Amino acid sequence: MTLVTAKRPFIPFVAMPRHTLASVPHAASLAVTHLSERIMKSSLLIAFLMFLARSVDADGASGDRYLTPQFSAGQTYSNVFSILRSVRAEGYDERASRNGGSADYTILSANADSWGARARSRYDGQASGDDSIEFRDNGSTYCMANAEGKTTCNAYLEGSGLAYNTAIWGVPPKPLAPGMSWTVDLKQAWELGGSNGTEKVTVISMDPATDTAVLLREGTSQGFFAESDPHTLQLSHDGHTEMLEVKPGTAHWKGYTTFVKGVVFSDELVVTRDDVLISKSGSTVNATERRVMLLNVAPFPTL
């Protein structure tokens, strides 16, 4: 008779046939073999998934998906843009002006670091353009053929444009991640900045689902801008107009830009500069100049 406690139920012993007892080690061996195979398959699956994850991360973090345009012949793009300029000086009426327009692009050719396009543009109130252009060196060099077919190339120093421009934004580091930043030396004057400039670019966010990156740029420079920056300025006071000489000081800019697959989706930049204005009599007055640049993608075509 077996004594059974309340916590452990009685399990009667059942005698097993000899052939069954003999098969127990073989069955146990098969079970171990099957378990080992399942563990091996699971390990291989986990390793493969980790490899895929590393591959995706490496591809996405390189920045090429986000900041290098993936153009191909036949693609079309459009954008709209404007720049506001204002000057304020004590004792004078504030002066403000604006220009803006739109542009249409049809990609004609593309390779790893250059692309060609037909560009049609219009600045409202000014002449329209229709040109065959080419961007080289990852967007930093702009080439255009004249009426005689001669091609002229220059550094592309616009404040914004169709795509990521290493001349203004610099070469991004690899890997790329939110919070990362780099410094760009802008020795040459550009559309919205003077010479001897320094710019810090910071990655605000990245979305691998849409290959979208938001960057913040902030910088300073000295002197005249490369475009639309005359050395004299007319201001009014007490109903009279006066011509003043401009002595530009330090400029500061800051703004966000959103890139989708290397194409500018939206761009805004606020630039301020401290100037000194000199009258014909030699008197001086301090002035603050401000420019607000906006560019956004638009449905094709706009013209």
Side-chain angles (χ1 to χ4, degrees):
M1 182 177 219
T2 305
L3 181 63
V4 181
T5 65
K7 293 183 179 180
R8 295 183 59 188
F10 172 70
I11 302 177
F13 175 78
V14 179
M16 299 179 66
R18 289 183 178 273
H19 70 274
T20 304
L21 289 172
S23 65
V24 168
H26 178 65
S29 177
L30 287 176
V32 171
T33 300
H34 290 161
L35 179 61
S36 299
E37 290 178 353
R38 291 180 63 184
I39 293 174
M40 182 176 295
K41 289 180 180 178
S42 298
S43 300
L44 290 174
L45 177 59
I46 293 172
F48 178 68
L49 292 176
M50 291 178 66
F51 169 77
L52 287 180
R54 286 196 299 268
S55 299
V56 171
D57 288 344
D59 181 41
S62 71
D64 291 343
R65 286 169 48 189
Y66 301 89
L67 302 179
T68 300
Q70 307 298 317
F71 290 137
S72 60
Q75 290 178 329
T76 56
Y77 300 88
S78 293
N79 53 40
V80 292
F81 44 81
S82 69
I83 295 181
L84 167 70
R85 181 193 183 195
S86 66
V87 179
R88 303 178 77 175
E90 186 175 353
Y92 293 86
D93 299 334
E94 181 175 2
R95 173 174 175 169
S97 60
R98 182 194 301 271
N99 69 56
S102 67
D104 296 335
Y105 301 89
T106 300
I107 304 301
L108 303 177
S109 62
N111 55 43
D113 65 350
S114 65
W115 55 91
R118 179 192 178 190
R120 301 180 63 222
S121 62
R122 173 185 171 184
Y123 283 84
D124 293 327
Q126 304 180 39
S128 300
D130 189 347
D131 304 291
S132 292
I133 61 175
E134 183 181 7
F135 288 93
R136 301 175 184 175
D137 308 319
N138 295 308
S140 63
T141 302
Y142 173 81
C143 302
M144 185 172 65
N146 59 21
E148 291 75 29
K150 182 179 179 181
T151 299
T152 303
C153 297
N154 296 287
Y156 191 59
L157 300 174
E158 301 297 309
S160 189
L162 174 62
Y164 188 91
N165 175 9
T166 55
I168 299 298
W169 290 91
V171 178
K174 296 183 180 182
L176 196 68
M180 185 173 286
S181 62
W182 61 93
T183 301
V184 185
D185 290 328
L186 298 172
K187 297 180 179 179
Q188 189 173 351
W190 54 292
E191 183 182 18
L192 295 172
S195 58
N196 299 317
T198 301
E199 179 179 74
K200 180 181 179 181
V201 180
T202 303
V203 182
I204 301 301
S205 64
M206 298 168 62
D207 183 0
T210 57
D211 297 336
T212 299
V214 178
L215 304 184
L216 169 67
R217 53 174 164 169
E218 181 175 10
T220 59
S221 65
Q222 302 293 325
F224 287 107
F225 301 166
E227 295 183 26
S228 304
D229 201 8
H231 293 201
T232 59
L233 179 67
Q234 278 191 341
L235 291 181
S236 299
H237 65 97
D238 300 328
H240 301 284
T241 299
E242 185 178 351
M243 184 68 72
L244 301 161
E245 181 184 356
V246 179
K247 291 294 184 182
T250 300
H252 171 265
W253 63 86
K254 188 174 184 179
Y256 293 108
T257 306
T258 301
F259 294 92
V260 179
K261 301 181 187 296
V263 174
V264 177
F265 188 83
S266 65
D267 196 2
E268 56 86 13
L269 196 67
V270 177
V271 187
T272 57
R273 188 179 69 191
D274 296 325
D275 295 338
V276 174
L277 306 181
I278 305 173
S279 68
K280 290 183 178 180
S281 64
S283 63
T284 63
V285 60
N286 293 329
T288 300
E289 181 167 347
R290 187 169 91 130
R291 302 195 186 196
V292 179
M293 184 277 296
L294 302 172
L295 182 144
N296 288 280
V297 70
F300 182 90
T302 62
L303 300 173

